[in-house]
Amino acid sequence: MADTTVPLFSLAELERGAHRDEFHRCVTELGVFYLTDYGVTEEDHRLATDTATGFFFTGTPEEKRAMTTGVPTLRRGYSALEAESTAQVTRTGSYTDYSESYSMGIDRNLFPSERFEQVWTGYFDRLHAAARRTCAAVLEASGSYDGGDMDTLLDCDPVLRLRYFPEVPEHRAAEHEPRRMAPHYDLSLITFVHQTPCANGFVSLQAEVHGELVDLPAVPDAVVVLCGAIAPLVTQGTVPAPRHHVRSPGAHLREGSDRTSSVFFLRPSIDFSFSVAKAREYGLAVDIDVPGDTATFGDWIGTNYVTMHAKEG
């Protein structure tokens, strides 16, 4: 890994009690790290990625419409290229996410075939187990967990997304629009990101670390782990939720800049409640209208999903 700002840990070693001080500093100061030995193989990632992108590339318009949910607050099934806008959610612009995606969760899923369902259900289950183990390690390492029974917290409502970022057209090159996806933090406890690298070597994913944007290149046999916005809520603000974005390549790097990103969001249940005032104290932009000070994760995530859908035209 060229940039050593973001450290790499082995989950197997962390669970044996190794690197305690270093891991504590990482989760309380950075909120992002690379992880190996977490129970999901490169072959698992490749099979799921190839299965999803095969549908992106060969699915008919009718098949894709059948895989598109009509529920605006639910991430399931297929989402077309530029159908969403993270920039609208974060109020940093109106440009779209230059990607198409497939999403699934615990239930209410849409699968284009039995084989797709078999591959992705197994993949989801393996990532879910790995994310729960990793999140427990993060919360324990924080030294300030106060979210109640941890097993209850981790018995949650995860979402898995496979994003395909195609080569950008000229009008979406960095000279015209610097980002494929706007800066944001995830509404999750933690997020796993497994990437395929751009063929031309361009690094698209970056995170903010100590006020600086740091490249997060694809690392063989590893995932990026990003602490999400729920982590500070259950650790008294000790664990940060780093903002991250997906850059656009410059005009001279458009060719060979396509990539995929498999993203597993370990989210709490929609009934998870929190203090809006505390969330804002921890630097989280909670812009929802609820009576009193207490909101639920369902209140927060539902508003974001509705806002995310790009306006027609």
Side-chain angles (χ1 to χ4, degrees):
M1 188 167 51
D3 192 319
T4 57
T5 303
V6 177
L8 182 148
F9 296 96
S10 158
L11 180 57
E13 291 179 1
L14 291 175
E15 291 181 325
R16 290 197 295 267
H19 315 297
R20 288 187 179 183
D21 291 343
E22 183 184 357
F23 191 53
H24 170 78
R25 285 193 299 271
C26 174
V27 301
T28 58
E29 296 177 12
L30 309 183
V32 57
F33 55 94
Y34 285 92
L35 189 71
T36 62
D37 304 321
Y38 56 97
V40 184
T41 67
E42 288 295 297
E43 290 73 20
D44 293 331
H45 290 297
R46 188 177 302 113
L47 176 59
T49 296
D50 290 348
T51 301
T53 54
F55 177 75
F56 297 165
F57 300 154
T58 65
T60 66
E62 292 76 16
E63 288 171 332
K64 289 179 177 179
R65 279 195 292 271
M67 286 288 293
T68 303
T69 180
V71 183
T73 58
L74 187 66
R75 277 191 174 180
R76 294 292 188 272
Y78 177 71
S79 186
L81 183 66
E82 297 193 273
E84 299 175 351
S85 173
T86 301
Q88 289 180 174
V89 175
T90 58
R91 298 186 179 183
T92 55
S94 58
Y95 60 93
T96 56
D97 298 346
Y98 203 78
S99 68
E100 57 185 314
S101 64
Y102 171 79
S103 305
M104 71 166 290
I106 295 288
D107 54 19
R108 293 183 287 177
N109 292 308
L110 300 170
F111 298 110
S113 68
E114 289 185 7
R115 179 180 179 276
F116 194 114
E117 179 176 2
Q118 181 181 23
V119 169
W120 266 72
T121 299
Y123 184 54
F124 180 94
D125 290 345
R126 284 187 286 276
L127 283 170
H128 191 189
R132 284 173 57 104
R133 290 167 55 203
T134 304
C135 188
V138 167
L139 297 179
E140 289 169 0
S142 75
S144 56
Y145 175 69
D146 68 349
D149 180 66
M150 193 179 297
D151 287 338
T152 300
L153 178 71
L154 298 180
D155 183 16
C156 52
D157 185 28
V159 169
L160 171 60
R161 298 201 100 183
L162 193 287
R163 284 188 181 270
Y164 172 60
F165 294 89
E167 294 179 2
V168 297
E170 185 175 352
H171 73 277
R172 287 295 300 257
E175 291 83 354
H176 303 285
E177 177 49 67
R179 299 181 180 94
R180 287 166 159 169
M181 190 174 182
H184 63 285
Y185 46 73
D186 293 333
L187 298 190
S188 64
L189 284 153
I190 63 165
T191 302
F192 276 3
V193 183
H194 179 273
Q195 311 173 75
T196 56
C198 297
N200 63 12
F202 176 70
V203 177
S204 203
L205 181 63
Q206 292 184 318
E208 187 175 332
V209 176
H210 295 315
E212 301 285 340
L213 287 171
V214 174
D215 285 353
L216 296 173
V219 172
D221 300 312
V223 288
V224 176
V225 180
L226 290 153
C227 296
I230 308 304
L233 295 180
V234 297
T235 61
Q236 304 175 68
T238 300
V239 176
R243 289 165 62 85
H244 49 285
H245 68 180
V246 180
R247 296 192 297 162
S248 298
H252 66 294
L253 287 173
R254 288 195 300 127
E255 185 175 348
S257 65
D258 61 310
R259 60 186 280 271
T260 63
S261 182
S262 175
V263 187
F264 190 90
F265 302 92
L266 189 69
R267 312 183 317 171
S269 75
I270 61 171
D271 297 325
F272 171 82
S273 62
F274 62 94
S275 162
V276 174
K278 282 290 185 183
R280 291 170 179 163
E281 179 184 324
Y282 302 148
L284 303 173
V286 183
D287 187 15
I288 53 179
D289 184 19
V290 293
D293 178 54
T294 301
T296 67
F297 184 69
D299 296 328
W300 197 5
I301 199 76
T303 302
N304 277 23
Y305 280 178
V306 172
T307 308
M308 175 175 286
H309 289 85
K311 295 179 175 64
E312 187 174 351

